[in-house]
Each structure stands twice: as structure tokens, then as C-alpha cells.
Amino acid sequence: MTILDKIIAEKRQEVARCEAATPLAALQALPPFTRPVLSARAALTAAGSSGIIAEFKRRSPSKGVINGTAEAGATTAGYAAAGAAVLSVLTDEPFFGGTADDLRAARAACPGTPILRKDFIISEYQITEARALGADLILLIASCLTPAEVVQFSQYAHELGLEVLLEVHDEAELRSHLAHSVDLVGVNNRNLATFATDVETSARLAALIPSTFVKVAESGLQHASTILALRQAGYQGFLIGETFMKTTDPAAALAGLVAELSGAVAS
């Protein structure tokens, strides 16, 4: 059994517990459920956008504890002030140390910045929950879903006003799972079965993603030169978490990268 298999097995149990404790009607009654949704597509493609999706992540199965003391609200507020176009918040607790409260805190701290709920979506319940927590965007991971589920979940997300980021890891997943009902396509350079990272994965798949989708590169992005090269390949979004979170000041690390990118463009 791979780490991904273990995560999904645990997630099914977690969702069942949540559904029993908090029915859909209770989620739909929460104030954030009816708030206007912000567009990640618009934020990433706006003139002068940094393109950075800055992620709040405490730990991971491959790295262990990355930052055990950071607070979600303060960190994401710092990210937004430092130039993040979009925020990403992990809400998986057993494997990544995230919670629903982290997303709530980020939403309260950053009312004007789109937020991705980063989790392993396997049911419509989690999509309703994402809306109720204040997310603007959900992640659908091809490795966890059938092509039919990607269509089903993305269409349901749109019914709730949410945008959808489809994550793939190779050409086979891209060809089998790409659907017109998703908004952004992310290429994860980290293999979720082995957790090995290869940034060239994004470079290889760039030309295979139609230009109608916003292209997002994920994982292993540490240097401005890498981001600039991927921009040339057609990427408009860059999801970065560990590079920032492993520092003592994630927002300052982001600000430094944004300054590098701005300087490179100006020159």
C-alpha cells in the first residue's frame, strides 16, 4: 500500500465521521457558504500578478514537520501582504497537520485573496464543506479519482460557485482526466506514490495542456530561475509551500522571491 493509498483510506473514514457529525444543511447554514467567491483564475492572470500560490503547510509524509509553530492566520496574512496572488491551505490533519480551523483563520485574515482548500477530495460533501469554510477553489487529484468523478465533482463545485484546480502527475493522467469543467490544471512535480520530485515534469507536460486552462506548476519550486523558465513554457501559477514554510519567516521568503521575479522582468 502506497502513502497515497493510506491517505485515501483514512480520508474515507474521516469524511464518514464528518457527515455523521455535521449534515449538509448545517454546512449550508454557515455564513461563509453564501459569501461572494473570489476568482483564482483572475488573480493569477491579472497584469502584474506574481502568479504565486503560497501554501500554509505544517508537515508532510515525506518531510515530516516543516514548521510546527506557524499560525495560519498570521502566515497567510503575511503571504498576502508579500504579494501572493492566491493562498493554499492544507486541511488534512493525519498526514499534513492541517485543520478546518486553519482555513477559517486564513479566510478571516485575508478577505480579499482567493484561497485554495488543499485536501484529498473524494466526495461532494467535502466540496460543500470547502464552500462553508470560506474557500474559493478546490483541488481534484487525478491519482485519487476516476475521470467520471473529476467531471462530477468539478460540475458540483461550479454549482456552488467554486473554481477547480485539477492536479495531474504525468501525461497519462492528463489525457484521461482533463475535463472542460475544470478551470486550472496543475502539474505536480512530486510523485504521490514515491514522493520523489522532478521539476522537469512540468516542463514536459506544458505543451500538452490546452491554453484555455490556467497552467499551474506545483512542488519543488525553489528558485526564481525555475519559475521564469516555466513562465516561458506557459505556466501562470506556481504553488509553493515548503520553500517558504521551512524558513523562520515564510512571508519574508515569499517577498524575497517576488522581488527576484520582479527584478528579472524589469531587466
Side-chain angles (χ1 to χ4, degrees):
M1 179 179 282
T2 67
I3 294 176
L4 182 59
D5 291 333
K6 294 177 182 178
I7 291 173
I8 297 304
E10 172 65 31
K11 190 61 59 178
R12 295 193 188 284
Q13 297 179 35
E14 176 190 317
V15 172
R17 291 193 299 269
C18 290
E19 286 183 298
T22 309
L24 281 177
L27 292 177
Q28 293 165 346
L30 294 173
F33 191 81
T34 56
R35 58 171 281 277
V37 175
L38 304 171
S39 172
R41 278 185 64 106
L44 293 172
T45 59
S49 172
S50 69
I52 303 297
I53 305 173
E55 185 163 273
F56 179 81
K57 177 167 66 174
R58 290 192 175 87
R59 59 185 172 90
S60 75
S62 61
K63 300 292 184 179
V65 175
I66 299 169
N67 190 325
T69 60
E71 194 276 324
T75 302
T76 53
Y79 278 158
V86 176
L87 303 168
S88 172
V89 178
L90 264 296
T91 56
D92 175 83
E93 186 166 10
F95 296 90
F96 290 86
T99 68
D101 283 340
D102 289 336
L103 204 157
R104 292 190 186 97
R107 178 78 287 156
C110 309
T113 307
I115 298 179
L116 166 69
R117 183 195 185 177
K118 186 81 173 290
D119 211 316
F120 297 82
I121 301 293
I122 56 169
S123 77
E124 291 185 356
Y125 180 87
Q126 292 166 287
I127 302 172
T128 305
E129 186 179 51
R131 185 73 166 94
L133 291 173
D136 304 284
L137 177 71
I138 63 162
L139 177 71
L140 297 180
I141 303 174
S143 297
C144 306
L145 304 168
T146 66
E149 286 174 326
V150 168
V151 173
Q152 174 192 344
F153 293 159
S154 57
Q155 289 179 343
Y156 181 69
H158 284 171
E159 290 174 11
L160 299 185
L162 299 170
E163 291 183 336
V164 178
L165 169 63
L166 172 67
E167 177 180 292
V168 301
H169 299 82
D170 55 35
E171 182 177 346
E173 287 183 354
L174 179 61
R175 294 191 183 282
S176 61
H177 286 70
L178 185 61
H180 293 298
S181 49
V182 306
D183 304 284
L184 309 92
V185 177
V187 176
N188 194 338
N189 299 307
R190 179 172 290 119
N191 184 309
L192 288 185
T194 66
F195 280 86
T197 302
D198 180 7
V199 176
E200 285 303 308
T201 304
S202 287
R204 289 195 304 270
L205 296 186
L208 302 179
I209 304 172
S211 59
T212 50
F213 302 99
V214 173
K215 303 177 187 182
V216 178
E218 308 174 21
S219 300
L221 307 177
Q222 302 182 42
H223 307 293
S225 58
T226 303
I227 294 172
L228 291 170
L230 290 173
R231 275 185 180 172
Q232 289 295 316
Y235 286 90
Q236 295 165 297
F238 309 92
L239 195 153
I240 305 173
E242 182 184 331
T243 297
F244 302 143
M245 292 298 299
K246 68 183 180 182
T247 69
T248 56
D249 190 338
L254 167 58
L257 178 60
V258 170
E260 282 190 72
L261 293 171
S262 298
V265 172
S267 61

